[in-house]
Amino acid sequence: MKSWISKTAITIALLAALPVLANADTWQIDPAHTNVEFTVRHMMISNVKGQFQKTSGTVITNGSDPTTAKIDATIDASSIDTRVEQRDMHLKSPEFLDVAKYSTITFKSTKIEADGPGKWKVTGDLTLHGVTKPVVLEVESSGTPIHDPMGNTRAGASATANIKRSDFGLTYNKVLESGGVMVGDEVAISIDLEALKK
């Protein structure tokens, strides 16, 4: 059900925070090789997972210091996919994401701090369902950038975060007869990012 968030952008948008991009000027998120996934508790007994199929964005760096990077990512909210069409339609409805009114989920970084070898804490503004809140992404580099067979330079990273959907005005739920609620409030976001040097 609520498994939509996103993962959040989570940026959502979230993923462009690659420490390995330090020596580049502009990197573009490769949507074909980037995954934005989310997990939410269902009926207090299991987890439902989903993803957003359309993600775009850029990472702009200044010099060799990755903490100066600026990340700007966008997720197409209507691209949510939980493998169940009926559930996806519900998540797109006004009871959840309301994609007709809020078509995108965005993430814009505001601060990047080193957090160990190859690791960073990326703070940014996540805008979801028309509400903007600060979110911290735990980012880990995938290593040194590589050159693909076409001569392009590519880099990768992974990121995780946890958000509460209620913080973004997503409060739809149902109380269970046995106690508890149908959909959990906490949404776990997991991002695998690949970016292309422009």
Side-chain angles (χ1 to χ4, degrees):
M1 329 268 337
K2 237 44 154 280
S3 3
W4 37 272
I5 241 150
S6 40
K7 263 172 193 165
T8 234
I10 282 6
T11 150
I12 97 158
L14 330 169
L15 310 183
L18 300 180
V20 294
L21 305 184
N23 296 317
D25 291 324
T26 301
W27 295 72
Q28 187 168 15
I29 293 174
D30 181 356
H33 299 99
T34 294
N35 297 307
V36 178
E37 301 176 335
F38 55 89
T39 303
V40 67
R41 201 71 174 156
H42 178 240
M43 297 185 72
M44 315 296 289
I45 59 171
S46 65
N47 293 319
V48 171
K49 298 178 182 290
Q51 61 181 301
F52 290 93
Q53 301 283 5
K54 297 180 180 179
T55 304
S56 61
T58 58
V59 179
I60 299 176
T61 60
N62 180 18
S64 60
D65 184 359
T67 63
T68 66
K70 299 295 182 183
I71 302 162
D72 191 338
T74 300
I75 293 171
D76 181 346
S78 68
S79 71
I80 191 169
D81 180 8
T82 65
R83 299 179 296 111
V84 178
E85 184 176 359
Q86 184 176 358
R87 179 168 59 205
D88 292 345
M89 292 303 295
H90 191 198
L91 294 174
K92 295 176 187 179
S93 76
E95 290 186 335
F96 286 97
L97 292 177
D98 196 359
V99 299
K101 187 175 182 179
Y102 307 108
S103 60
T104 60
I105 299 167
T106 63
F107 178 84
K108 298 180 185 295
S109 66
T110 56
K111 181 172 65 174
I112 300 177
E113 303 171 285
D115 191 39
K119 296 182 179 181
W120 278 258
K121 287 185 181 295
V122 179
T123 302
D125 292 328
L126 175 65
T127 300
L128 170 68
H129 194 240
V131 178
T132 301
K133 295 283 185 180
V135 169
V136 178
L137 298 176
E138 302 284 345
V139 178
E140 184 171 0
S141 165
S142 296
T144 304
I146 57 92
H147 296 289
D148 66 22
M150 286 72 72
N152 300 306
T153 302
R154 294 177 177 270
S158 59
T160 59
N162 288 287
I163 63 173
K164 290 186 177 181
R165 60 186 181 87
S166 59
D167 288 344
F168 297 87
L170 295 160
T171 57
Y172 173 87
N173 224 328
K174 289 186 177 181
V175 177
L176 303 174
E177 290 183 5
S178 57
V181 293
M182 180 171 289
V183 183
D185 188 29
E186 186 169 290
V187 180
I189 298 168
S190 175
I191 301 164
D192 288 299
L193 171 71
E194 189 169 311
L196 180 69
K197 185 178 179 180
K198 302 306 290 182

